[in-house]
Amino acid sequence: MLRSVSFQNSLSISPSLPSVLEQTRPREIIKEHVETQYGNLHCIMSGTPKANHPVILTFHDVGLNYKSCFESLFNHQDMQEINRHFPVCHIEAPGQHEAAKTLPAAYTYPSMDQLSEALASVLKHFGFRSIIGLGVGAGAYILARFALNHPDLVDGLVLININPNAKGLMDTFANKVDNAVIANLFGKDEIQTNHDLIATYRHLITTTMNQSNVSQFFRSYNHRNALDVERPIPGGNINVRTLKCAALLIVGDNSPAVDVVVDCNSKLNPTTTTLLKMADCGGLPQVDQPAKVIEAFKYFIQGMGYLSSASMTRLRSRTTSSSSLMSLDGPRSRAHTNELQRGQIHSRGNEEKRVRSHTDVSMDSISSMNQSVSKATEVAC
């Protein structure tokens, strides 16, 4: 088993601030390949697990690795408060880490279901008792599948661009791998207008990733099974298949996944699920608007009872009343808003079929709100 250890500061320091006052103790970074029955998963561990605290566990999308998917988010200044309270474990699928060698010809790439089961080996290896999962695209699907099969090990899920539907494509791509990945990650408008971002990610995909390995991971994702979740109905079957943990669904309104994320939200429990639809945002919200994603993440964690209201003071003081997020109640009994988006609330015909009510709540009012929301709500973001 390969293992490397390094250190990084858990707080980015502005040159104008005294580093002696602002710098925190460096966090130990452990990188190692964890052996599972479906292949080795490259894991990057930061921080020390705590007995009664979950670990934030991330999983990237196709064509990405932990750096290109999450580094800008976790290196953001606003994320340091979370980093101080939670250890983080980034997981990379087999052969998806930087400079990975081509997987052996005899190796059969694991399915999405198998990758989700492989996570149990990671938790056992590091001794994690529970996790808060943060996944994007394929990673969101894998974490959701893991939560469905192992509800006792998952306290909460933040799922960006989750697509719970089955999808079967031919084994070979009509276009180059990088073109297929770009079309999966970004919407048409974003591809046509945000040339710098697209060029950056195309460069990362083609220069840091093993194209053969990416193709295998992408093919596995495109042959996934449906999650087959069902929205619980009051007075109905109490044993329906659904996520038992709190879930925050995030998608940009210009993302190619926006429709499937909204549809996924309609299939989940409205009392434990929140949908954050971000206006003026593309396929990678955690890269495009990391500060807003972090705000939502902080309130999500606070609603689970892991961050005190005192630790949220800095966030509230920097937020104007024109920005809004959800209200989250206490641990395990919290109720969640159903859809959040910036600006005015938009009504859609298909939303009437889902029987969703809409409420506008300002960010300033959230600090004093600690009440349950009995109905699904849409809140300006």
Side-chain angles (χ1 to χ4, degrees):
M1 180 181 298
L2 298 177
R3 177 174 180 176
S4 62
V5 180
S6 60
F7 293 88
Q8 72 174 13
N9 292 331
S10 61
L11 182 63
S12 298
I13 307 301
S14 169
S16 62
L17 297 177
S19 59
V20 174
L21 297 178
E22 296 294 332
Q23 190 169 356
T24 60
R25 185 172 62 182
R27 287 162 63 94
E28 181 181 6
I29 305 296
I30 298 175
K31 298 181 180 181
E32 58 182 292
H33 292 272
V34 176
E35 184 177 351
T36 78
Q37 65 185 111
Y38 301 112
N40 292 339
L41 299 180
H42 188 229
C43 300
I44 302 89
M45 182 70 198
S46 172
T48 304
K50 302 177 182 178
N52 298 318
H53 245 50
V55 173
I56 295 175
L57 187 142
T58 78
F59 210 118
H60 58 86
D61 201 355
V62 293
L64 306 178
N65 50 42
Y66 93 94
K67 284 188 176 181
S68 55
C69 196
F70 294 113
E71 192 169 59
S72 60
L73 184 73
F74 280 88
N75 284 349
H76 195 281
Q77 181 180 1
D78 292 350
M79 196 66 164
Q80 304 316 314
E81 185 173 26
I82 293 177
N83 287 337
R84 286 195 296 271
H85 287 85
F86 295 88
V88 178
C89 181
H90 300 289
I91 294 183
E92 295 176 314
Q96 307 305 305
H97 55 282
E98 286 188 353
K101 296 181 180 180
T102 300
L103 295 167
Y107 175 70
T108 300
Y109 207 87
S111 66
M112 292 292 103
D113 295 359
Q114 290 171 332
L115 282 174
S116 71
E117 286 304 306
L119 297 184
S121 297
V122 175
L123 269 65
K124 182 179 180 179
H125 176 81
F126 289 108
F128 300 158
R129 305 181 74 174
S130 64
I131 66 167
I132 297 175
L134 171 58
V136 180
Y141 177 96
I142 290 167
L143 286 169
R145 173 72 67 180
F146 180 72
L148 288 170
N149 294 336
H150 303 277
D152 293 341
L153 298 177
V154 183
D155 282 6
L157 289 174
V158 178
L159 306 173
I160 300 176
N161 299 337
I162 175 71
N163 187 341
N165 304 322
K167 186 175 182 180
L169 294 182
M170 54 185 169
D171 289 339
T172 57
F173 298 106
N175 300 314
K176 294 192 303 181
V177 175
D178 60 312
N179 290 335
V181 170
I182 291 296
N184 177 76
L185 297 176
F186 304 100
K188 292 181 179 179
D189 291 343
E190 197 169 13
I191 293 174
Q192 294 173 357
T193 59
N194 199 338
H195 301 294
D196 290 342
L197 178 66
I198 301 304
T200 296
Y201 272 84
R202 190 181 299 278
H203 176 76
L204 290 172
I205 294 165
T206 56
T207 62
T208 68
M209 307 290 291
N210 184 300
Q211 302 299 286
S212 174
N213 297 351
V214 171
S215 295
Q216 293 190 59
F217 184 35
F218 202 177
R219 187 174 296 112
S220 177
Y221 178 54
N222 282 335
H223 285 82
R224 64 189 177 273
N225 298 314
L227 287 179
D228 289 332
V229 290
E230 181 181 350
R231 169 165 284 195
I233 300 175
N237 183 4
I238 62 174
N239 295 318
V240 297
R241 182 172 172 80
T242 189
L243 294 174
K244 304 298 183 183
C245 64
L248 171 61
L249 278 55
I250 301 178
V251 67
D253 62 356
N254 292 321
S255 168
V258 63
D259 290 336
V260 293
V261 173
V262 172
D263 182 62
C264 179
N265 176 69
S266 72
K267 297 176 181 178
L268 297 177
N269 190 335
T271 64
T272 56
T273 305
T274 302
L275 172 60
L276 169 58
K277 186 163 59 174
M278 300 178 63
D280 303 322
C281 186
L284 295 179
Q286 78 280 13
V287 175
D288 195 8
Q289 297 188 26
K292 288 190 175 296
V293 171
I294 293 168
E295 287 180 8
F297 196 15
K298 284 183 177 180
Y299 280 105
F300 179 71
I301 292 175
Q302 185 191 34
M304 298 172 66
Y306 292 116
L307 281 179
S308 66
S309 58
S311 68
M312 305 296 287
T313 303
R314 179 172 174 269
L315 173 65
R316 288 197 299 270
S317 68
R318 293 188 355 263
T319 309
T320 65
S321 59
S322 63
S323 297
S324 302
L325 280 175
M326 62 286 200
S327 170
L328 300 178
D329 203 9
R332 304 301 184 276
S333 62
R334 57 212 173 268
H336 301 266
T337 57
N338 195 280
E339 182 169 350
L340 299 81
Q341 75 185 78
R342 184 191 302 163
Q344 67 178 31
I345 296 173
H346 301 281
S347 62
R348 295 177 176 83
N350 60 352
E351 290 177 345
E352 295 179 1
K353 297 179 182 178
R354 292 167 188 150
V355 196
R356 298 195 296 200
S357 60
H358 307 285
T359 305
D360 191 1
V361 183
S362 70
M363 176 73 84
D364 287 347
S365 67
I366 291 175
S367 61
S368 61
M369 290 178 62
N370 196 22
Q371 58 187 9
S372 295
V373 181
S374 60
K375 295 183 178 180
T377 56
E378 179 173 329
V379 185
C381 176

